[in-house]
């Protein structure tokens, strides 16, 4: 059985504006920053890895509708990160290597999500989780059992979109 890694969601309790820290085979640090621009019609979420490296960007369409996602040098519609899944509580994404993954929203707890690589292989789960960490209070925990940098970024972006859509009823 592969090891399980923990990522703690800290900072603001907002899927588009938070800090994610932890460790898998190396220290992990992601920062989702969404500038509040009252005069601008478009909103952008920048995703930083290790405090300075931009690894992804979400460009929201006017009114905070889904726009485009840029992951490294690849740009795609955000809707490709929240494709229809195998049932109503499921949204899928296709990774850069062509594999299909599904975030399945818990029917018992609508703020919980499980990531599947195939019909029965759960490789991650996200839970609301209030705990004090060395960098401050945590409001979420992602536990995962893979070590693949690009898949982790794709999964975090897709989780961000799933949580935002479900919070805002889009």
């Amino acid at each position: 059985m592969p090891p399980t890694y923990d990522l703690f969601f800290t900072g603001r309790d907002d899927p588009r504006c938070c800090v994610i820290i932890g460790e898998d085979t190396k220290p992990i640090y992601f920062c989702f920053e969404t500038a509040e621009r009252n005069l601008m019609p478009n909103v952008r979420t920048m995703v930083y890895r290790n405090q300075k490296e931009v690894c992804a960007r979400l460009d929201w369409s006017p009114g905070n509708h889904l726009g485009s996602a840029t992951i490294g040098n690849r740009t795609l519609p955000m809707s490709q990160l929240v494709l229809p899944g195998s049932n109503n509580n499921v949204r899928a994404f296709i990774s850069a290597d062509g594999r299909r993954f599904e975030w399945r929203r818990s029917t018992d707890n609508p703020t919980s999500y499980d990531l599947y690589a195939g019909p029965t292989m759960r490789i991650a789960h996200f839970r609301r989780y209030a705990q004090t960490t060395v960098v401050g209070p945590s409001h979420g925990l992602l536990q995962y059992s893979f070590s693949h940098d690009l898949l982790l970024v794709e999964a975090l972006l897709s989780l961000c979109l799933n949580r935002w859509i479900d919070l805002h009823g889009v």
Side-chain angles (χ1 to χ4, degrees), residues 55-59 68-76 81 153 157:
C55 65
R57 178 179 81 226
L58 299 173
D59 288 305
S68 65
T70 303
I71 306 167
N73 59 5
R74 182 176 64 135
T75 300
L76 59 149
L81 294 169
V153 171
L157 289 171

Side-chain angles (χ1 to χ4, degrees), residues 13-15 105 111 113 162-170:
D13 189 1
D14 179 344
R105 188 175 182 196
T111 62
Y113 300 84
N162 274 286
R163 291 180 64 215
W164 186 85
I165 289 167
D166 292 338
L167 281 170
H168 296 281
V170 174

